[in-house]
Amino acid sequence: MKVQNNISINNQTNFTGASKLSEKIAKKFAKAGNIGEGTSIACDFLGKAVVVPAVIMLASSEPKENKEFSAFKNPVAAFIQLGLEVPVLMAGSKIVGDLADKGYFDKAKNARKGFSYNEKLQREKFIDTFEKIADKTPKIKEKSKDFLTSIKDGGYTKKAAEDIVEILDGADDKIKTAAIKSFKNFEHAHENKFHLQNRICFVAALLLTPFLCAIENYIHPKIMNKIYEKRAAKNPSKMVKMPNIETFLNHAKGAVPIQNKQGGAL
Amino acid sequence: MIQKVASSIANSSIVKNHIVKSATDPKFLARTLLITSVSKDVFAYALRVKNTLNNDEIPKEKKNFTAKMDAATCAATAVTQIGAGFIVSSEKFQSFFTDKLFKSLKDSPKELKNAKAAFNAVSTLVLASIGAKRILTPLFATKIASYNKEQKGEKSGNISLKA
């Protein structure tokens, strides 16, 4: 009976733990924003630097040296990408964002209909609208001090989108509609700008690819040669004397295995 | 002049619809990220094959395997990533996981919507660009490259060096 109770308590504890974990994961995903090229680059880096070399080394039946040469190409490419592509794309994204905030990508006709990339302007408009509403409604003013500070200092966040619904709860319908409409314009401009930055970064990444490949192609053999040189210096007995092509063809035709220094078949 | 062209492109109906759909449709966003990732890979692998074959610093016997590996990876990565990504981002696959994972957000529709959108994009990217691209692709590509090498060896009457 006691054992049964213990099992039941353990099961209950595990269940509560799993449910709390699932709740935490759910909250994290609910607050996650700005998933775009950055997330894509991060996944790519992890896969390239860690997963691919492991898979090539484990799955291929090629000679170890050939596998190593191919497998090491990926971490080299991943670090070149991290060192060159990421800073260039981050700088590019900032430039696009700054230009968008200056109205560089907006067209008056679309902006009037509520389609804008100018997040800064829409934020200022929202703050202005909200402050006017708050001045007339002391209850909203009281509740919105932190909210306004966070918008002014940090811009749009998923939390702000939740907070405004709470702040306007119970307010007059007219006030609510005006504030929400202004906030939606701000939210849409934020999202439009983010997705525009992502698509421009994608085009920039494509344009950058030939340069990255050329650099990778230049650096990869050099790194591999260094690795082989170091390895050979540490353990000269393991060096394999490669046959010349004529010897190889003669042996191949006669189906005689070529012997390396230690007598193993090549 | 540049500004005029930039704002015309950014406000063209194709770009505008694409941007609006990316912000409102999680499946569309996930698939857009997938397609952009795959197209970068295909372009990079095609360049790598060309560069490897033209690179005299790579020893001949390693050059062929590395180039074949890159060409096979290029084909395999496009097929496996798009296949896996489209399956993962589909409503059926997503609802199977999100219904269980986000039970606690049932009473908060806005949070649930955000969580589902984020999960769609992240799971599609992780499973396609780590699972399919990094595990399935090298497995297929290694087999394709080795098979190609064996075939060539047989055709030219040589004995394959493969163990």
Side-chain angles (χ1 to χ4, degrees):
Chain A
M1 192 65 182
K2 203 179 172 186
V3 174
Q4 223 168 11
N5 280 345
N6 278 345
I7 292 170
S8 160
I9 288 165
N10 279 344
N11 283 346
Q12 214 172 342
T13 315
N14 287 344
F15 179 74
T16 318
S19 131
K20 271 192 178 168
L21 180 71
S22 136
E23 220 169 281
K24 264 187 184 176
I25 294 171
K27 285 276 175 205
K28 284 262 180 224
F29 273 106
K31 289 197 168 32
N34 295 352
I35 295 166
E37 287 296 317
T39 317
S40 171
I41 290 172
C43 287
D44 202 42
F45 175 78
L46 271 181
K48 224 184 248 180
V50 182
V51 185
V52 182
V55 175
I56 293 180
M57 293 308 288
L58 293 173
S60 174
S61 52
E62 284 291 320
K64 199 182 167 208
E65 228 179 87
N66 285 2
K67 283 196 294 188
E68 273 179 350
F69 206 82
S70 186
F72 268 95
K73 225 179 158 178
N74 291 282
V76 171
F79 281 99
I80 290 172
Q81 188 179 351
L82 193 73
L84 289 171
E85 191 182 6
V86 173
V88 169
L89 293 183
M90 276 171 73
S93 179
K94 193 179 178 322
I95 292 168
V96 173
D98 289 347
L99 287 174
D101 281 342
K102 283 176 186 159
Y104 197 83
F105 299 107
D106 277 5
K107 258 198 170 169
K109 195 179 85 183
N110 280 340
R112 272 197 301 275
K113 286 181 191 165
F115 185 84
S116 169
Y117 295 104
N118 194 340
E119 185 185 357
K120 196 180 166 196
L121 177 71
Q122 295 302 330
R123 181 171 68 167
E124 279 164 8
K125 277 185 176 177
F126 167 71
I127 291 170
D128 189 46
T129 308
F130 195 86
E131 277 178 342
K132 276 178 189 162
I133 289 170
D135 283 343
K136 286 178 197 163
T137 329
K139 208 177 157 190
I140 291 178
K141 193 169 190 172
E142 188 62 37
K143 281 201 278 182
S144 62
K145 272 179 193 163
D146 291 344
F147 168 75
L148 267 180
T149 314
S150 79
I151 294 274
K152 282 176 184 171
D153 296 344
Y156 175 86
T157 55
K158 293 262 182 200
K159 194 181 174 299
E162 284 167 28
D163 288 349
I164 190 168
V165 177
E166 208 176 290
I167 289 166
L168 294 170
D169 189 36
D172 181 63
D173 277 354
K174 212 176 158 188
I175 288 173
K176 221 176 186 176
T177 312
I180 293 285
K181 193 186 167 194
S182 185
F183 187 81
K184 283 276 169 209
N185 285 341
F186 167 40
E187 185 176 51
H188 290 157
H190 168 80
E191 283 169 352
N192 294 345
K193 184 176 97 173
F194 175 71
H195 290 295
L196 182 75
Q197 282 173 306
N198 275 284
R199 294 299 87 79
I200 292 177
C201 280
F202 161 65
V203 176
L206 273 186
L207 295 175
L208 214 59
T209 304
F211 297 105
L212 292 176
C213 282
I215 294 167
E216 177 196 321
N217 196 46
Y218 175 77
I219 294 177
H220 174 231
K222 288 190 168 34
I223 291 177
M224 293 313 294
N225 286 341
K226 280 261 181 287
I227 291 172
Y228 290 142
E229 273 170 25
K230 271 194 181 173
R231 196 179 286 172
K234 265 187 192 171
N235 201 348
S237 65
K238 278 202 173 174
M239 271 184 77
V240 171
K241 192 174 181 289
M242 295 304 285
N244 65 36
I245 190 72
E246 271 176 37
T247 322
F248 168 72
L249 286 175
N250 288 336
H251 280 269
K253 275 176 198 161
V256 180
I258 306 161
Q259 304 290 312
N260 68 9
K261 243 182 173 179
Q262 285 79 41
L266 266 175
Chain B
M1 174 67 182
I2 298 170
Q3 183 186 358
K4 220 177 169 185
V5 174
S7 75
S8 292
I9 294 171
N11 285 275
S12 66
S13 55
I14 297 174
V15 175
K16 216 179 99 181
N17 289 341
H18 174 84
I19 298 277
V20 171
K21 216 170 173 194
S22 296
T24 52
D25 184 348
K27 190 170 98 179
F28 182 79
L29 174 65
R31 290 183 176 182
T32 301
L33 291 174
L34 177 73
I35 299 289
T36 56
S37 167
V38 172
S39 44
K40 275 192 285 184
D41 288 337
V42 169
F43 186 45
Y45 275 116
L47 286 169
R48 267 185 213 145
V49 173
K50 188 180 156 268
N51 287 342
T52 303
L53 290 173
N54 293 332
N55 192 341
D56 295 329
E57 277 190 62
I58 302 176
K60 203 186 167 195
E61 69 281 358
K62 290 184 185 72
K63 186 192 273 192
N64 283 337
F65 180 70
T66 307
K68 267 178 209 151
M69 198 60 211
D70 282 341
T73 310
C74 179
T77 199
V79 175
T80 51
Q81 275 194 86
I82 290 176
F86 273 58
I87 292 169
V88 173
S89 61
S90 68
E91 282 92 358
K92 253 190 180 176
F93 187 95
Q94 285 295 316
S95 58
F96 179 79
F97 287 99
T98 53
D99 289 351
K100 286 171 191 160
L101 198 59
F102 301 144
K103 252 183 197 168
S104 57
L105 300 175
K106 223 169 37 187
D107 300 328
S108 169
K110 200 172 162 67
E111 275 191 311
L112 182 65
K113 197 182 153 201
N114 286 343
K116 279 185 170 182
F119 183 79
N120 195 332
V122 172
S123 58
T124 303
L125 276 178
V126 168
L127 285 172
S129 68
I130 296 184
K133 179 168 153 187
R134 305 304 182 188
I135 297 173
L136 290 181
T137 301
L139 285 176
F140 290 144
T142 320
K143 299 288 170 227
I144 295 170
S146 299
Y147 176 76
N148 195 344
K149 193 174 168 182
E150 270 176 21
Q151 292 285 315
K152 276 210 166 169
E154 274 171 26
K155 268 187 193 168
S156 60
N158 287 337
I159 291 167
S160 168
L161 277 177
K162 189 178 161 273

